[in-house]
Structure formats: C-alpha cells, structure tokens
C-alpha cells in the first residue's frame, strides 16, 4: 500500500488529460490577458510595453509553475485540488491588480504572486516529509522565498517597483533552468524534473486557445461598438482570419509533436524552454489583440509609427516564439517564417497606410507562412511515401 506522501504524487495510472480544476484555474488567466491588453492599449510607449511585459511574465509564471505542479502531483488528491483552487484565486487577484499594479495595487499583485508560490511550496514540502521528492519541493520553496523579497519590497516601494520585480522574475525564471540549486540540498536532477509530455502538450494547447479566445473576444467587442460599416467589417474579418491562421501556425507541425519531444528530451532543457517560448507567443497574441482594437475602431486612420508597430508587432512576436519553438523541437530553422519576420519588421518601419491596410499586410504574411508550411508538410510526406 502506498504511503501518504506517495499517494500525493502523480502515479503511472493517473489520467494525462487536464483535470476540471486545471481548466477552472485557466479561467483566471482570461481576466489577466484582458487586463494586460487594456494596460498596453492605454500606454502605447516603449516604457508601457516593458511594464506590461513585466506583469505578463508574472501571471504567466503562476500558470507555468501551477501546470508543473499539476503534472507532478495526483490531480485526484484533495490537497492538490485545494492548491489548484488557491492558485486560481491568486491568479484572479493578480489579474484584478494589473491595471494599477505599478501604481496603487502593487502590494496586491506581488502579494497574490508570492502567496501562490509560497503556499504551494510550504504545503507540498510538509506533505512529502520523509519522501525523496521532498527535497525538490524544499528547493523550489527556497527559491521562491528568495524572490519573494524583491517582489514584496517592490510592492511597497513604487519608485523601485519595476527594477525589483525584474530582479525577482530573473530569479524565478532562472531557478528551474539550473535545477533550483540550494545549499545542503544540491540541485534537482533531470529525473525529478520529468514531465508527462502528453499532459503538458495538452495544457499548452489549452492556454493557447484561451489566448486566441481573448483575441477573438477583443475583435468581437470592438466590432460590436462600431457602426458596422464596410471598413470596420473588413478589419474585423481580417483579425478573425489572423486568429484562425495563428492557431493553425501553432499546431502545425511542432505543436503536434511537443508531447513526444518532451518525453524524450532533457526535461531541464525542453521542459523549461517551452515555458519561456510560449510566453513570447502569448505576448504576441496580447499585442495582436491591442492592434485589433485599434484597427477595428479606426480602420481608415493613417497609421503612425506606434500603430504600425503594434499591428505588425503582434504577429512578429508570435513568429519569433514559433520559430524558436520549432528550433527547440526539430533543431531546424524555418526560412519562410524568418523571411516573414523580416517582412513584418520592414513593414512596421516604413508602412504609413490606413490601419485597415496594415492589418491586411499582417494577415497576408501569416497566411503566406501557413500556406508554405502546409506545402512543406505535403512535400515531406510525399518524399517519405513516394507511392
């Protein structure tokens, strides 16, 4: 009969599909993405983009570490269920704080972030006492304990908030990549970082769907607030097409091969790096949502530098993450995507067309990449099966 700590860990017979509470936890991310898009829309400057990026990285790291937690521990355990509920509440509170997180609600944002990680680490370290996996939980708790200092101090000191939170994020993002080395406990081994590829790949697809859903929601709400004229309708349809094409670009082909890649790769490399790269792609979708709102609301307005960078920068960010994603899985560079990235970058620098036309350029570039990807897949399959 399994010991009490052993029963807390995910067993070989545990279902690999996401549990109900994992999907419930994702709902908090819906609010965060919406708030982040609004935060960026109201401060379309380089400094505003960097501040939004800091907040996005924070809420994203709650999602990633909670997904690791749900991958390592039994989703049917009452303790795991309650910790998922706590993570959902913490994510929701962080999302509530986002609009004023760098002003009057810094303590709420930092406190929610720290509380999720410290509560999860403390409970699992205590529940696993006497089990070899306790050391992993203690190492992670120690690292989040260290990063909690700049998080909380930054929450109380507005003038130092951004640099302190950047420092805290650097600690949190570096820890898993090097195995959370801790005095007297050493570092976490590759086996302790092992992830269930099928579960993790499914979770990434689910969060990408939520991010795409945010883009579709912004497009729909923006369009509903217009007079439904022809230019506004055209902008709405272009944004919808971009959302569909971006989803296809994600799943074909690397998105479909993530599960076996995670299973067979060094978990301290691919398991962690995919978390970083999905952050870049999610950021691209947030920026795309902001560009969608600009384009649908003012389709005939001439694009200035800021508007062009936002509308084309979203697909650019997504392509950067997607290129590196394929490179990390296949060790192969997609040249059509690289060329598309350059085209978008040049367009952001020189295009001063109406916003509708700039949106059409972004959609056309993404469409071209998807078509070339599909053609490349068909060519590969024909070469492997000449008959």
């Amino acid at each position: 009969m399994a010991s009490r700590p052993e029963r807390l860990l995910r067993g070989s017979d545990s279902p690999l599909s996401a549990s109900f509470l994992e999907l419930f936890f994702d709902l908090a991310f819906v609010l965060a993405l919406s708030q982040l898009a609004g935060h960026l829309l109201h401060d379309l400057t380089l400094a505003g983009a960097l501040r939004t990026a800091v907040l996005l990285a924070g809420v994203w790291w709650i999602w990633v570490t909670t997904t690791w937690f749900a991958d390592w521990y039994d989703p049917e355990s009452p303790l795991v269920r309650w910790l998922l509920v706590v993570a959902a509440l913490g994510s929701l509170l962080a999302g509530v704080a986002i609009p004023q997180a760098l002003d009057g609600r810094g303590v709420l944002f930092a406190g929610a972030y720290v509380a999720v990680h410290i509560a999860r680490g403390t409970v699992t370290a205590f529940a696993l006492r006497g089990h070899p996996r306790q050391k992993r939980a203690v190492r992670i708790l120690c690292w989040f304990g260290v990063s909690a200092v700049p998080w909380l101090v930054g929450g109380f000191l507005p003038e130092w908030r951004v640099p302190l939170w950047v420092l805290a994020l650097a600690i949190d993002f570096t820890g898993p990549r090097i195995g959370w080395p801790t005095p007297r406990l050493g570092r976490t081994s590759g086996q302790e970082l092992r992830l269930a590829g099928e579960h993790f790949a499914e979770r990434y697809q689910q969060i990408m769907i939520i991010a795409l859903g945010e883009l579709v929601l912004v497009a729909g709400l923006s369009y509903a607030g217009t007079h439904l004229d022809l230019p506004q309708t055209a902008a709405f349809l272009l944004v919808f097409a971009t959302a569909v094409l971006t989803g296809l670009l994600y799943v074909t082909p690397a998105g479909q091969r993530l599960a076996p890649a995670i299973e067979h790769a060094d978990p301290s490399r691919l398991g962690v790096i995919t978390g970083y790269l999905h952050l870049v792609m999610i950021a691209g979708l947030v920026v795309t949502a902001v560009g969608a709102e600009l384009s649908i609301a003012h389709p005939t307005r001439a694009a200035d530098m800021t508007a062009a960078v936002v509308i084309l920068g979203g697909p650019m960010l997504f392509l950067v993450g997607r290129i590196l994603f394929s490179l990390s899985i296949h060790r192969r560079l997609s040249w059509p995507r690289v060329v598309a990235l350059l085209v978008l970058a040049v367009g952001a620098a020189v295009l001063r067309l109406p916003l509708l036309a700039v949106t059409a350029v972004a959609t056309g570039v993404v469409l071209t990449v998807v078509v070339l990807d599909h053609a490349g897949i068909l060519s590969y399959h024909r070469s492997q099966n000449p008959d």
Side-chain angles (χ1 to χ4, degrees), residues 177-192:
R177 186 67 182 91
I178 59 177
W180 294 287
T182 306
R184 296 191 176 184
L185 295 176
R187 69 179 66 224
T188 302
S189 67
Q191 185 58 39
E192 290 177 295

Side-chain angles (χ1 to χ4, degrees), residues 40-88:
L40 178 59
L41 181 64
H42 289 95
D43 190 5
L44 287 176
T45 63
L46 179 58
L50 292 175
R51 287 192 286 265
T52 303
V54 169
L55 299 175
L56 172 59
V59 295
W60 174 249
W61 211 239
I62 295 177
W63 187 90
V64 168
T65 53
T66 301
T67 301
W68 286 343
F69 166 77
D71 193 83
W72 288 335
Y73 298 95
D74 184 2
E76 300 302 318
S77 166
L79 187 60
V80 172
R81 289 179 175 180
W82 278 110
L83 287 172
L84 286 173
V85 171
V86 169

Side-chain angles (χ1 to χ4, degrees), residues 245 248-249 252 318-319 322-323 334-341 344 362-376:
L245 293 167
L248 292 174
L249 185 58
T252 307
F318 184 87
L319 273 174
R322 189 62 182 78
I323 289 168
S334 171
W335 288 109
R337 294 173 191 164
V338 173
V339 173
L341 190 62
L344 289 170
T363 305
V365 170
V366 178
L367 173 62
T368 302
V369 173
V370 171
V371 170
L372 291 175
D373 271 0
H374 185 68

Side-chain angles (χ1 to χ4, degrees), residues 30-331:
V30 175
L31 173 65
L33 289 177
S34 179
Q35 297 278 59
L36 287 162
H39 187 275
L40 178 59
L41 181 64
H42 289 95
D43 190 5
L44 287 176
T45 63
L46 179 58
L50 292 175
R51 287 192 286 265
T52 303
V54 169
L55 299 175
L56 172 59
V59 295
W60 174 249
W61 211 239
I62 295 177
W63 187 90
V64 168
T65 53
T66 301
T67 301
W68 286 343
F69 166 77
D71 193 83
W72 288 335
Y73 298 95
D74 184 2
E76 300 302 318
S77 166
L79 187 60
V80 172
R81 289 179 175 180
W82 278 110
L83 287 172
L84 286 173
V85 171
V86 169
L89 177 60
S91 298
L92 196 61
L93 291 173
V96 168
I98 282 173
Q100 290 87 39
L102 298 173
D103 298 311
R105 294 183 178 173
V107 174
L108 177 60
F109 185 88
Y113 179 94
V114 169
V116 169
H117 297 302
I118 296 300
R120 184 172 57 223
T122 302
V123 170
T124 52
F126 180 78
L128 289 171
R129 60 192 184 281
H131 191 279
R133 286 290 187 266
Q134 184 188 33
K135 290 184 178 180
R136 179 182 65 188
V138 172
R139 292 188 195 103
I140 296 172
L141 176 60
C142 288
W143 273 72
F144 279 122
V146 171
S147 72
V149 176
W151 272 116
L152 295 175
V153 172
F156 285 102
L157 298 177
E159 65 276 14
W160 289 96
R161 186 165 296 163
V162 172
L164 284 171
W165 284 3
V166 169
L167 171 62
L169 285 168
I171 295 170
D172 290 339
F173 276 56
T174 302
R177 186 67 182 91
I178 59 177
W180 294 287
T182 306
R184 296 191 176 184
L185 295 176
R187 69 179 66 224
T188 302
S189 67
Q191 185 58 39
E192 290 177 295
L193 287 170
R194 185 66 57 188
L195 299 167
E198 184 179 333
H199 172 257
F200 224 68
E202 178 186 315
R203 295 295 290 128
Y204 274 134
Q205 289 188 11
Q206 288 162 349
I207 203 64
M208 290 300 296
I209 289 172
I210 285 176
L212 287 168
E214 167 62 18
L215 173 56
V216 172
L217 180 64
V218 167
L221 291 176
S222 299
Y223 184 50
T226 70
H227 297 294
L228 310 186
D229 294 334
L230 182 60
Q232 296 158 341
T233 301
F236 167 72
L237 293 175
L238 285 170
V239 172
F240 179 77
T242 300
V244 174
L245 293 167
T246 302
L248 292 174
L249 185 58
Y250 174 76
V251 299
T252 307
Q256 298 174 335
R257 300 175 186 169
L258 179 59
I262 289 177
E263 291 282 359
H264 296 99
D266 173 8
S268 65
R269 187 189 71 84
L270 190 58
V272 175
I273 288 176
T274 50
Y276 303 153
L277 298 183
H278 277 78
L279 170 59
V280 178
M281 289 187 276
I282 294 287
L285 292 175
V286 171
V287 177
T288 301
V290 175
E293 189 161 351
L294 292 174
S295 176
I296 294 171
H298 310 285
T300 58
R301 192 183 77 188
D304 56 16
M305 180 73 169
T306 299
V309 167
V310 170
I311 292 173
L312 299 177
M316 281 176 60
L317 268 176
F318 184 87
L319 273 174
V320 168
R322 189 62 182 78
I323 289 168
L324 296 175
F325 184 41
S326 287
L327 193 61
S328 65
I329 292 177
H330 304 296
R331 304 298 180 92

Side-chain angles (χ1 to χ4, degrees), residues 6-16 71-75 196:
E6 192 71 37
R7 291 199 300 270
L8 185 66
L9 299 169
R10 176 183 285 271
S12 57
D13 58 343
S14 297
L16 293 176
D71 193 83
W72 288 335
Y73 298 95
D74 184 2

